[in-house]
PDB file of all heavy atoms in Angstrom:
ATOM      1  N   PHE A 531      58.406-134.109 -63.842  1.00  0.00           N
ATOM      2  CA  PHE A 531      58.811-133.649 -62.509  1.00  0.00           C
ATOM      3  C   PHE A 531      60.258-133.179 -62.535  1.00  0.00           C
ATOM      4  O   PHE A 531      60.988-133.374 -63.513  1.00  0.00           O
ATOM      5  CB  PHE A 531      58.621-134.768 -61.479  1.00  0.00           C
ATOM      6  CG  PHE A 531      59.373-136.034 -61.780  1.00  0.00           C
ATOM      7  CD1 PHE A 531      60.662-136.235 -61.300  1.00  0.00           C
ATOM      8  CD2 PHE A 531      58.793-137.030 -62.564  1.00  0.00           C
ATOM      9  CE1 PHE A 531      61.352-137.399 -61.581  1.00  0.00           C
ATOM     10  CE2 PHE A 531      59.485-138.197 -62.850  1.00  0.00           C
ATOM     11  CZ  PHE A 531      60.770-138.381 -62.360  1.00  0.00           C
ATOM     12  N   LEU A 532      60.689-132.573 -61.421  1.00  0.00           N
ATOM     13  CA  LEU A 532      62.063-132.131 -61.232  1.00  0.00           C
ATOM     14  C   LEU A 532      62.814-133.123 -60.354  1.00  0.00           C
ATOM     15  O   LEU A 532      62.237-133.725 -59.441  1.00  0.00           O
ATOM     16  CB  LEU A 532      62.105-130.752 -60.554  1.00  0.00           C
ATOM     17  CG  LEU A 532      61.385-129.603 -61.255  1.00  0.00           C
ATOM     18  CD1 LEU A 532      61.455-128.343 -60.382  1.00  0.00           C
ATOM     19  CD2 LEU A 532      61.975-129.326 -62.624  1.00  0.00           C
ATOM     20  N   GLY A 533      64.120-133.260 -60.598  1.00  0.00           N
ATOM     21  CA  GLY A 533      64.952-134.132 -59.796  1.00  0.00           C
ATOM     22  C   GLY A 533      65.755-133.374 -58.764  1.00  0.00           C
ATOM     23  O   GLY A 533      65.613-132.159 -58.594  1.00  0.00           O
ATOM     24  N   SER A 534      66.623-134.083 -58.075  1.00  0.00           N
ATOM     25  CA  SER A 534      67.426-133.505 -57.001  1.00  0.00           C
ATOM     26  C   SER A 534      68.605-132.721 -57.566  1.00  0.00           C
ATOM     27  O   SER A 534      69.162-133.064 -58.616  1.00  0.00           O
ATOM     28  CB  SER A 534      67.939-134.611 -56.076  1.00  0.00           C
ATOM     29  OG  SER A 534      68.744-134.072 -55.049  1.00  0.00           O
ATOM     30  N   ILE A 535      69.010-131.690 -56.821  1.00  0.00           N
ATOM     31  CA  ILE A 535      70.155-130.870 -57.232  1.00  0.00           C
ATOM     32  C   ILE A 535      71.089-130.586 -56.058  1.00  0.00           C
ATOM     33  O   ILE A 535      72.060-129.849 -56.216  1.00  0.00           O
ATOM     34  CB  ILE A 535      69.689-129.536 -57.867  1.00  0.00           C
ATOM     35  CG1 ILE A 535      68.646-128.811 -57.011  1.00  0.00           C
ATOM     36  CG2 ILE A 535      69.070-129.794 -59.237  1.00  0.00           C
ATOM     37  CD1 ILE A 535      69.139-127.949 -55.919  1.00  0.00           C
ATOM     38  N   THR A 536      70.820-131.147 -54.878  1.00  0.00           N
ATOM     39  CA  THR A 536      71.547-130.771 -53.671  1.00  0.00           C
ATOM     40  C   THR A 536      72.944-131.374 -53.574  1.00  0.00           C
ATOM     41  O   THR A 536      73.718-130.992 -52.709  1.00  0.00           O
ATOM     42  CB  THR A 536      70.742-131.147 -52.417  1.00  0.00           C
ATOM     43  OG1 THR A 536      70.346-132.527 -52.506  1.00  0.00           O
ATOM     44  CG2 THR A 536      69.495-130.284 -52.306  1.00  0.00           C
ATOM     45  N   ALA A 537      73.259-132.333 -54.426  1.00  0.00           N
ATOM     46  CA  ALA A 537      74.605-132.896 -54.525  1.00  0.00           C
ATOM     47  C   ALA A 537      74.695-133.584 -55.879  1.00  0.00           C
ATOM     48  O   ALA A 537      73.701-134.122 -56.375  1.00  0.00           O
ATOM     49  CB  ALA A 537      74.878-133.896 -53.400  1.00  0.00           C
ATOM     50  N   PRO A 538      75.871-133.584 -56.499  1.00  0.00           N
ATOM     51  CA  PRO A 538      75.983-134.206 -57.828  1.00  0.00           C
ATOM     52  C   PRO A 538      75.551-135.664 -57.847  1.00  0.00           C
ATOM     53  O   PRO A 538      74.909-136.108 -58.806  1.00  0.00           O
ATOM     54  CB  PRO A 538      77.473-134.049 -58.156  1.00  0.00           C
ATOM     55  CG  PRO A 538      77.927-132.893 -57.340  1.00  0.00           C
ATOM     56  CD  PRO A 538      77.124-132.932 -56.082  1.00  0.00           C
ATOM     57  N   GLU A 539      75.886-136.424 -56.797  1.00  0.00           N
ATOM     58  CA  GLU A 539      75.493-137.835 -56.775  1.00  0.00           C
ATOM     59  C   GLU A 539      73.982-137.992 -56.647  1.00  0.00           C
ATOM     60  O   GLU A 539      73.413-138.978 -57.133  1.00  0.00           O
ATOM     61  CB  GLU A 539      76.209-138.575 -55.650  1.00  0.00           C
ATOM     62  CG  GLU A 539      75.901-138.086 -54.248  1.00  0.00           C
ATOM     63  CD  GLU A 539      76.810-136.955 -53.776  1.00  0.00           C
ATOM     64  OE1 GLU A 539      77.464-136.313 -54.634  1.00  0.00           O
ATOM     65  OE2 GLU A 539      76.864-136.724 -52.555  1.00  0.00           O
ATOM     66  N   ARG A 540      73.318-137.024 -56.031  1.00  0.00           N
ATOM     67  CA  ARG A 540      71.854-137.083 -55.935  1.00  0.00           C
ATOM     68  C   ARG A 540      71.222-136.752 -57.286  1.00  0.00           C
ATOM     69  O   ARG A 540      70.169-137.286 -57.633  1.00  0.00           O
ATOM     70  CB  ARG A 540      71.363-136.147 -54.836  1.00  0.00           C
ATOM     71  CG  ARG A 540      71.885-136.534 -53.466  1.00  0.00           C
ATOM     72  CD  ARG A 540      71.591-135.486 -52.403  1.00  0.00           C
ATOM     73  NE  ARG A 540      72.446-135.717 -51.227  1.00  0.00           N
ATOM     74  CZ  ARG A 540      72.612-134.863 -50.236  1.00  0.00           C
ATOM     75  NH1 ARG A 540      71.977-133.696 -50.256  1.00  0.00           N
ATOM     76  NH2 ARG A 540      73.415-135.148 -49.220  1.00  0.00           N
ATOM     77  N   ALA A 541      71.854-135.858 -58.010  1.00  0.00           N
ATOM     78  CA  ALA A 541      71.403-135.603 -59.379  1.00  0.00           C
ATOM     79  C   ALA A 541      71.527-136.865 -60.224  1.00  0.00           C
ATOM     80  O   ALA A 541      70.609-137.229 -60.975  1.00  0.00           O
ATOM     81  CB  ALA A 541      72.215-134.469 -59.995  1.00  0.00           C
TER      82      ALA A 541
END
Side-chain angles (χ1 to χ4, degrees):
F531 58 91
L532 302 176
S534 179
I535 49 85
T536 51
E539 62 272 18
R540 298 171 197 167

